[in-house]
Amino acid sequence: MDSSVLIMNPDRSFLIFAVVFSTLVYTFELYLQIRQHSHFSIQKRKKSIESIVTDEEFQKMQNYSRDKSRFAFFKNAFDHIQTVSVWLLFILPFLWKFSGNRLRSFGYDEDSEIIQSLVFVLILSIPLQFIQIPFDLYFTFIIEEKHGFNKQSLKLFFTDQIKGLFISSIIGLPVLAILLFIIKRFGEMFPIYVWGFLFVFKIVMVTIYPIFIQPCFNKTEQLPIGTLRTKIEDLAGKLEFPLSKLYSVDGSRRSAHSNAYIYGFFKNKRIVLFDTLIEQCTEEQIVAVLGHELGHWKLNHVLKMLFFSEVQTIVMFSLFQKVMYTRELYQSFGFDEEMPVLIGLVLFSIMYSPITHVISFIINWYSRRNEFAADDFSKSLGYAKVLKEALIVMQKKNLGNIVPDSWYSTYHYSHPPIVERLSALSKTKSE
């Protein structure tokens, strides 16, 4: 068949599939959201939570969850319409041509694909980020403010936005340029080289994040010498956890939500406690929570997830290598002549989304399984009662959803609902 006929009458099968699948996913998730939202109209506590929260606490949780759910209806609808509109209005080919024309007006030739790709990303991503700002403002200064969680000012909000854009640009653009260079340079072998590069990049980012990036947003200090520090160090020593640093971070500068996490590779592990967690929980409760977090490390959950992620990366790029020059894919989305690598990645990620959703569901299921195992590990250390108390305290302080819909939580949640966790912690080994 004459190629000119294909250009004049391109097959839109890939585009139609993307729009239909995206709409089906949105519709299904909307149904789950409606099921979830109906739970927030419940006024009377179920027997399973009567011992956990008072009527007043339950109503506060319900009000917060209901407000977030209403917001999610509008936000998800907007995001879906925006995504589909970008595809159907052929915004991507328009911006690609526009970025190429701008470069040529500055003297760049038509072979500057990597530079054009970086310009394209900036032209596309910056407006999309600005479009999201009103939603972020509403969520932060209306919903979070209403329920007592927001602690940041407008100045700090916009400062964070600018810092985030700057940091993502100075890190993301060079990484993208190297990624595109590897794909173009190493031919059929590029999936291996891409995987190696991204793996090294992850290690580098974990190393430099606490030193260079986190201080741009939060003040991090070593946890002061005292009983809490001693208890944590004793627990780490008991489990032979290679603790190198123990930090507290001023999360309260932005939000009243609490958190704690562990990061680092090999013999350089660090524990970070949000100051809000230190304020909300007793020292024993904090240690019990860290018993749970250290359970993830002891049971190799992080390594297993890392392995799964690395396998997924190399499989995805191997599949991309097979289809990256499928002309019909490009033509379907309005790219009638050029087949740039970056655009190929974007279009492939769209077509790969059915697999992505399946993988996301599996990861959430596996994550919930790991959470139960980590709870059980903390329980084996003798913290069952205190961990239950800590979970209840954090649930109350964070106004967590205490009556989730079973379908919604199965599909979306990476952590089991608190009632299930408390029930599991209450069981004896014989059960």
Side-chain angles (χ1 to χ4, degrees):
M1 182 180 291
D2 183 15
S3 61
S4 63
V5 176
L6 286 174
I7 294 176
M8 291 294 293
N9 301 285
D11 183 357
R12 303 296 187 196
S13 299
F14 289 107
L15 174 60
I16 293 170
F17 171 81
V19 172
V20 171
F21 180 78
S22 177
T23 302
L24 287 174
V25 170
Y26 168 73
T27 303
F28 175 66
E29 292 181 351
L30 176 62
Y31 168 69
L32 295 182
Q33 184 71 36
I34 292 171
R35 287 177 58 100
Q36 174 86 316
H37 190 77
S38 67
H39 285 243
F40 303 140
S41 298
I42 298 173
Q43 298 296 318
K44 187 176 180 180
R45 291 174 297 160
K46 294 181 180 180
K47 288 186 178 180
S48 59
I49 63 171
E50 285 181 350
S51 61
I52 302 175
V53 295
T54 64
D55 280 328
E56 181 181 0
E57 290 167 339
F58 178 65
Q59 289 306 318
K60 286 182 179 180
M61 291 176 175
Q62 290 290 80
N63 292 338
Y64 180 52
S65 295
R66 187 165 52 248
D67 284 348
K68 289 198 300 179
S69 181
R70 286 170 179 163
F71 174 77
F73 280 119
F74 291 101
K75 180 65 165 59
N76 294 342
F78 179 87
D79 288 346
H80 176 66
I81 293 170
Q82 175 184 270
T83 298
V84 172
S85 297
V86 167
W87 298 343
L88 293 178
L89 297 176
F90 301 107
I91 301 298
L92 297 178
F94 171 79
L95 292 180
W96 179 259
K97 290 179 181 177
F98 178 80
S99 60
N101 291 336
R102 292 301 91 199
L103 280 176
R104 284 188 282 277
S105 70
F106 285 99
Y108 288 90
D109 58 40
E110 296 183 359
D111 295 327
S112 306
E113 182 184 320
I114 293 180
I115 297 177
Q116 184 175 347
S117 297
L118 301 184
V119 174
F120 170 83
V121 167
L122 286 174
I123 292 175
L124 177 64
S125 60
I126 292 178
L128 290 179
Q129 181 165 337
F130 276 100
I131 289 172
Q132 294 301 315
I133 287 179
F135 293 100
D136 294 338
L137 283 169
Y138 183 86
F139 182 79
T140 302
F141 293 97
I142 301 297
I143 296 178
E144 294 287 277
E145 185 85 28
K146 175 183 176 181
H147 295 278
F149 290 118
N150 178 45
K151 302 299 179 182
Q152 62 182 314
S153 63
L154 275 172
K155 179 181 178 181
L156 181 58
F157 174 87
F158 283 107
T159 300
D160 283 349
Q161 293 286 324
I162 294 171
K163 288 179 181 178
L165 181 61
F166 176 73
I167 291 173
S168 62
S169 297
I170 63 172
I171 294 176
L173 293 179
V175 168
L176 177 60
I178 296 172
L179 185 65
L180 295 177
F181 172 79
I182 292 173
I183 294 174
K184 293 171 68 68
R185 171 68 176 78
F186 291 100
E188 294 183 356
M189 295 297 295
F190 82 74
I192 300 295
Y193 289 97
V194 165
W195 167 79
F197 167 68
L198 292 178
F199 181 73
V200 171
F201 174 69
K202 290 177 184 178
I203 294 177
V204 171
M205 285 302 298
V206 169
T207 303
I208 70 171
Y209 176 81
I211 301 173
F212 298 108
I213 299 177
Q214 189 175 47
C216 295
F217 299 94
N218 292 101
K219 183 180 179 182
T220 303
E221 299 177 335
Q222 293 224 31
L223 193 67
I225 296 174
T227 54
L228 176 58
R229 184 183 183 93
T230 300
K231 290 175 182 177
I232 295 173
E233 290 175 340
D234 288 345
L235 176 62
K238 177 182 178 182
L239 299 176
E240 298 181 346
F241 177 74
L243 178 62
S244 61
K245 299 289 184 181
L246 181 54
Y247 293 119
S248 65
V249 61
D250 63 339
S252 60
R253 187 183 178 200
R254 290 172 176 79
S255 173
H257 290 294
S258 55
N259 197 10
Y261 60 91
I262 296 171
Y263 70 95
F265 287 104
F266 312 115
K267 299 297 182 180
N268 188 29
K269 303 286 188 180
R270 307 179 184 199
I271 294 176
V272 178
L273 305 176
F274 278 46
D275 57 356
T276 45
L277 180 67
I278 297 174
E279 293 170 5
Q280 294 171 3
C281 295
T282 66
E283 291 184 354
E284 287 299 320
Q285 289 170 352
I286 293 172
V287 174
V289 170
L290 289 179
H292 167 97
E293 296 300 330
L294 290 172
H296 285 304
W297 166 77
K298 196 72 173 180
L299 298 171
N300 293 317
H301 292 161
V302 176
L303 286 179
K304 291 174 183 176
M305 289 298 293
L306 178 62
F307 175 77
F308 182 81
S309 174
E310 298 311 306
V311 171
Q312 182 187 356
T313 296
I314 198 166
V315 169
M316 185 184 71
F317 278 100
S318 295
L319 291 174
F320 173 60
Q321 191 269 329
K322 302 295 183 184
V323 303
M324 64 183 293
Y325 291 123
T326 302
R327 181 169 291 278
E328 292 80 6
L329 174 60
Y330 292 83
Q331 290 177 340
S332 188
F333 282 84
F335 293 86
D336 297 328
E337 299 174 0
E338 297 178 274
M339 293 191 295
V341 172
L342 174 64
I343 298 302
L345 275 171
V346 173
L347 301 184
F348 173 76
S349 67
I350 294 171
M351 305 311 298
Y352 190 76
S353 60
I355 300 176
T356 302
H357 280 83
V358 173
I359 291 174
S360 177
F361 180 81
I362 294 172
I363 289 176
N364 281 341
W365 167 81
Y366 183 65
S367 175
R368 288 193 300 272
R369 184 170 174 267
N370 288 346
E371 291 302 317
F372 281 124
D375 281 350
D376 195 55
F377 182 84
S378 184
K379 177 181 176 180
S380 71
L381 298 174
Y383 294 123
K385 181 177 181 295
V386 185
L387 179 59
K388 287 169 64 176
E389 294 172 354
L391 291 174
I392 293 171
V393 168
M394 290 189 290
Q395 186 80 8
K396 291 179 180 179
K397 295 295 184 179
N398 291 285
L399 297 182
N401 176 16
I402 203 166
V403 287
D405 175 71
S406 58
W407 285 28
Y408 185 93
S409 61
T410 299
Y411 182 79
H412 282 291
Y413 283 12
S414 61
H415 285 55
I418 185 173
V419 173
E420 295 181 19
R421 295 179 71 177
L422 295 177
S423 175
L425 283 168
S426 298
K427 292 179 179 178
T428 62
K429 288 187 177 181
S430 60
E431 295 178 279

